Amino acid sequence: MTKQWKLKEIVLLSILGVVFAVIYLLAFGIGQGLVGALTPFGIGPLGYEFIYGIWFIVSIIAAYIIRKPGAAFISELIAGVVQVLIGSPAGPQLIISAAVQGLGAESAFAVTKWQDYRKRVLILAAVLTAIISFAWHFYSSGFFAYEAWLVGVMLITRIISSILIMALLGKWISDQLAKTGVLRGYALGKEHQQNRDQDAA
């Protein structure tokens, strides 16, 4: 697999980053609603964790479709920058968080030298992203001020959310797009075509 980027891959990466920047902002509102609902029970911080995987999903979709070094990191970074530009309440610090999340996802693919995009690697990317991003937020967002049990539950919830939303949902969305034929010029689309040809043989 060539590691040289094609123009159409760069364009798709940019489109994904922008589209998911908007989705991420919408998810922020949902997260706030969950925090508000859980705060009376003393577990408000868990609100965001239930859906945290959504803020990682573009990295999996981009990497799984394009399969080039940097796809996970750059797509997440683009989404972070666009969110700031269109007025995210999180402010410029969001760009650092996006970079951390992108690095978390990218690290899983780096382990396989960007050659393996099976489900287990996508799940590994989800777990690493959840853990690395949580470590960053532990200090940047002041998680250390919470009780130990709550921090533990938050981490476990983020990992589960990341696996379900980032890895499994991200893979499903990508596979559904590939089945339509719109990705036939990309690595995932070619893989699907090869599988169809083998089934037909």
Side-chain angles (χ1 to χ4, degrees), residues 122-134:
L122 303 185
I123 291 175
L124 174 62
V127 173
L128 290 177
T129 304
I131 293 173
I132 292 172
S133 67
F134 195 88

Side-chain angles (χ1 to χ4, degrees), residues 3-66:
K3 293 183 179 180
Q4 184 176 356
W5 282 76
K6 298 176 182 177
L7 178 58
K8 63 183 179 181
E9 293 170 337
I10 296 172
V11 171
L12 177 60
L13 191 73
S14 301
I15 291 173
L16 288 172
V18 172
V19 168
F20 279 94
V22 176
I23 292 174
Y24 288 0
L25 277 180
L26 295 175
F28 182 78
I30 296 173
Q32 282 189 311
L34 290 172
V35 169
L38 294 175
T39 295
F41 302 99
I43 54 174
L46 268 178
Y48 286 113
E49 303 303 332
F50 285 116
I51 61 168
Y52 222 98
I54 193 65
W55 285 293
F56 306 150
I57 196 170
V58 72
S59 60
I60 279 288
I61 292 177
Y64 186 52
I65 292 175
I66 299 173

